Amino acid sequence: MTQLKSDLRESLSQIKEAVGNNGDVIIRNFSVKRKSGGRQEMALVFIDGLCDKEVLNHHVLKPLMDAQFTLHLRGESALQYIYEEIISVSDAKTGEKLEDLAGQVLSGVSALLLDGCRKYILFDVRQWQTRGIKEPETDVVVRGPREGFVETMKINMGMLRRKIKHSGLTFDPMQVGRYSVTDVCVVYLEGVARQEIVDEVKRRLSRIDIDGALESGYLEAFIEEAPLSVFPTVGHSEKPDVVAAKLLEGKVAVMIDGSPFVLTAPNFFAENFASAEDYYTRFHYHSLLRLIRWAAFLVSVLLPGFYVAVTTYHQEFIPPALLLVMAAAEENTPFSGGFSVLLMSLVYEILREAGVRLPRQIGQSVSIVGALIMGDAAVSANIISPAVLIIIGVTVVATFVTSPLNELSTLLRLVFLFAGWFMGGFGLLLAGMAVMLYLCSLRSFSVPYLAPLAPLRPGYLGDVFIRLPLWLLQKRPPYITKNARRMPPGLRPRPGERGEAGE
């Protein structure tokens, strides 16, 4: 570690060499009168566009220029006097290493240097344009908080602190990226999260050695349990209430500056079928919705392959009347059922990608044109049969029900489509067994990915296929927390004793 020179000119030369010859690095030289005569030379170093100049002017520069130093205040004693008596910035600290100073300045922190002193003062008055807090478009709810994370990590930390005001909420900062030097923060609830999981998350983050981390997806690629798996073993969310709920369960969150998506670990397969709104309304209807989501996922994955397998190999399962209608519709089509389904699936993926990448107004028009006009024209021209169009339409709608699994559904749908196309029902059975065996072997931070389904824990199934009343969900998952008791028993609401309601 290099120490600053005591001479101000030499120390500024060291700083220029450390931060590079950049036009946005501002060095403001000034001096302050001494009561006994002479002047104290100083310099303020900051990045233009990353700091609040009004705060620097009113709380650093103006108080310093109005102050006068006595004869005995020189060097470190003068710097300590400024730190304790003159400046009025809440987030300030001293330092003496050149590498620390250069890193802080490049991240937006301002620094004050004195002639004849090897130390410096850092002022965290960072400010830049940020996106306003609004409801995230990826997770819309009817009832519940409408706020979502933004790209500034400090704001996101404050939003989490509003949700969990306990002293055990811990933020452990670190940095990732040789050139980007991106701020990253590991968040967990001390006393609830397992320390071995927290340490493992930190270990995986600390071993990342890349040029830059620009989004949370960079971190996810390096810390996930099975990097070649199509199943996501690291979760992510854009909603503070969802992340807070996962922290209360004992999970660990990872924030990255510049991204509104917060990673959570460990991640379980069953979580993809739960919505934040499930816990904000009555459990009866949302238990039904939970079952519908599971069924919709199975439909989105299995329906095209099942249709091709039945129409190609197992026509005896189709009622005769329906079979005659389907045969008459496919009589004039040039392609087989399997190729027609594959073709329409690819067309749907193209239209979906076009709708996402184009401007919103144009994207909606492309989706409508593709779904209505092109589909109707394909059926009228006898390119595909109406049954294939219906199958693809139902599959697409079912895919939208479980939006966190859109990518996974698309890949698995192709696997089961080819299995049913080439081997019929036997191929679907083999593919299903292979997927289930793989899921049972998969882990997320050493925790079974299918928990609590495999290994089976009947006492924790009340929040998997259905959502039991909150007063029955008394325990946290024991495999991710060291404090399994969420609430004491006996909290079920009961009518008051006779006469308590008033007479």
Side-chain angles (χ1 to χ4, degrees):
M1 300 290 285
T2 307
Q3 194 171 21
L4 282 177
K5 303 290 186 181
S6 59
D7 184 76
L8 182 60
R9 292 184 179 180
E10 294 182 2
S11 61
L12 290 178
S13 298
Q14 287 180 292
I15 294 173
K16 291 178 181 178
E17 183 179 353
V19 301
N21 188 19
N22 296 307
D24 60 344
V25 178
I26 307 299
I27 299 179
R28 172 70 161 86
N29 292 282
F30 61 99
S31 60
V32 178
K33 290 183 179 180
R34 292 185 174 275
K35 291 181 180 180
S36 58
R39 306 186 72 87
Q40 171 68 55
E41 299 293 331
M42 302 183 186
L44 190 64
V45 184
F46 60 93
I47 298 288
D48 189 19
L50 293 184
C51 67
D52 190 341
K53 292 183 179 180
E54 292 295 324
V55 175
L56 287 179
N57 291 336
H58 291 88
H59 297 275
V60 178
L61 283 174
K62 189 176 185 302
L64 283 172
M65 292 181 174
D66 292 342
Q68 291 186 354
F69 291 91
T70 58
L71 180 64
H72 69 279
L73 289 179
R74 296 180 182 275
E76 293 188 9
S77 60
L79 183 134
Q80 194 66 25
Y81 175 72
I82 293 173
Y83 180 74
E84 295 177 354
E85 302 290 340
I86 297 181
I87 62 172
S88 55
V89 177
S90 59
D91 194 350
K93 61 181 180 180
T94 61
E96 56 182 339
K97 300 300 181 182
L98 175 63
E99 290 80 4
D100 296 339
L101 172 61
Q104 292 289 334
V105 169
L106 289 174
S107 65
V109 178
S110 304
L112 177 68
L113 293 87
L114 275 68
D115 187 30
C117 181
R118 294 179 180 271
K119 291 187 177 181
Y120 50 82
I121 303 177
L122 296 175
F123 311 98
D124 192 352
V125 292
R126 286 177 284 192
Q127 185 185 53
W128 46 76
Q129 294 297 324
T130 60
R131 179 171 60 91
I133 298 175
K134 60 181 182 180
E135 183 177 8
E137 297 181 0
T138 58
D139 195 354
V140 181
V141 296
V142 177
R143 178 177 179 178
R146 303 299 178 89
E147 59 186 4
F149 288 123
V150 295
E151 285 75 13
T152 305
M153 192 171 71
K154 280 197 170 183
I155 297 178
N156 296 340
M157 293 168 65
M159 296 172 72
L160 268 186
R161 180 63 72 179
R162 285 181 56 204
K163 301 292 182 183
I164 304 176
K165 302 178 179 65
H166 193 269
S167 60
L169 182 62
T170 305
F171 297 91
D172 283 345
M174 56 194 310
Q175 292 179 330
V176 175
R178 290 192 299 267
Y179 298 107
S180 67
V181 196
T182 307
D183 292 324
V184 175
C185 189
V186 178
V187 191
Y188 60 95
L189 193 57
E190 189 174 359
V192 177
R194 286 188 177 273
Q195 190 60 43
E196 53 266 30
I197 296 180
V198 176
D199 294 339
E200 180 64 16
V201 172
K202 293 180 181 178
R203 186 191 68 82
R204 297 186 186 186
L205 288 172
S206 62
R207 64 180 292 271
I208 299 177
D209 185 15
I210 57 177
D211 290 344
L214 306 180
E215 212 276 334
S216 59
Y218 282 71
L219 304 182
E220 182 179 356
F222 285 94
I223 68 173
E224 58 184 344
E225 191 85 6
L228 300 180
S229 174
V230 297
F231 292 90
T233 55
V234 176
H236 64 269
S237 179
E238 205 176 352
K239 290 178 62 65
D241 56 316
V242 174
V243 175
K246 293 181 183 295
L247 292 175
L248 291 172
E249 285 187 349
K251 296 186 178 181
V252 181
V254 179
M255 290 181 168
I256 179 172
D257 193 32
S259 173
F261 289 92
V262 175
L263 304 179
T264 56
N267 185 46
F268 306 118
F269 183 67
E271 292 182 35
N272 298 296
F273 302 94
S275 171
E277 197 173 0
D278 293 352
Y279 306 93
Y280 303 149
T281 55
R282 296 176 63 81
F283 69 96
H284 311 84
Y285 178 64
H286 281 275
S287 294
L288 175 62
L289 289 183
R290 188 77 63 86
L291 292 173
I292 290 175
R293 294 187 195 118
W294 280 93
F297 174 73
L298 295 177
V299 168
S300 67
V301 171
L302 297 175
L303 183 59
F306 179 78
Y307 169 79
V308 173
V310 170
T311 55
T312 306
Y313 298 97
H314 312 288
Q315 293 90 348
E316 63 274 10
F317 289 102
I318 305 176
L322 179 59
L323 182 60
L324 291 175
V325 173
M326 294 173 59
E330 294 183 0
E331 182 179 1
N332 297 322
T333 57
F335 306 120
S336 64
F339 187 82
S340 298
V341 172
L342 177 62
L343 178 63
M344 292 306 299
S345 298
L346 294 178
V347 170
Y348 156 68
E349 293 299 329
I350 293 173
L351 290 173
R352 186 169 72 93
E353 187 67 13
V356 171
R357 303 304 170 194
L358 287 172
R360 183 170 303 176
Q361 295 80 2
I362 303 176
Q364 293 176 353
S365 302
V366 169
S367 301
I368 294 174
V369 169
L372 297 179
I373 301 178
M374 291 178 60
D376 182 68
V379 173
S380 301
N382 291 326
I383 298 176
I384 61 170
S385 67
V388 171
L389 192 61
I390 293 173
I391 292 297
I392 296 300
V394 173
T395 302
V396 169
V397 173
T399 303
F400 293 152
V401 176
T402 54
S403 56
L405 296 175
N406 278 344
E407 298 176 2
L408 175 64
S409 299
T410 300
L411 296 174
L412 289 182
R413 181 160 60 245
L414 292 175
V415 171
F416 282 96
L417 173 59
F418 284 109
W421 189 1
F422 294 110
M423 290 185 289
F426 182 68
L428 294 177
L429 182 61
L430 287 180
M433 291 178 60
V435 171
M436 288 303 300
L437 288 174
Y438 177 73
L439 281 174
C440 291
S441 66
L442 197 59
R443 290 180 171 268
S444 175
F445 287 83
S446 302
V447 180
Y449 185 59
L450 277 185
L453 298 173
L456 182 63
R457 293 178 178 266
Y460 297 90
L461 295 178
D463 196 23
V464 178
F465 298 108
I466 60 173
R467 201 277 283 175
L468 291 180
L470 294 179
W471 39 267
L472 283 179
L473 302 177
Q474 299 171 3
K475 294 183 179 180
R476 301 183 182 93
Y479 26 84
I480 62 172
T481 179
K482 61 181 180 181
N483 182 10
R485 178 63 65 179
R486 180 185 280 122
M487 65 184 76
L491 293 182
R492 175 182 177 180
R494 290 181 174 85
E497 296 294 335
R498 182 172 297 178
E500 287 185 1
E503 299 179 356

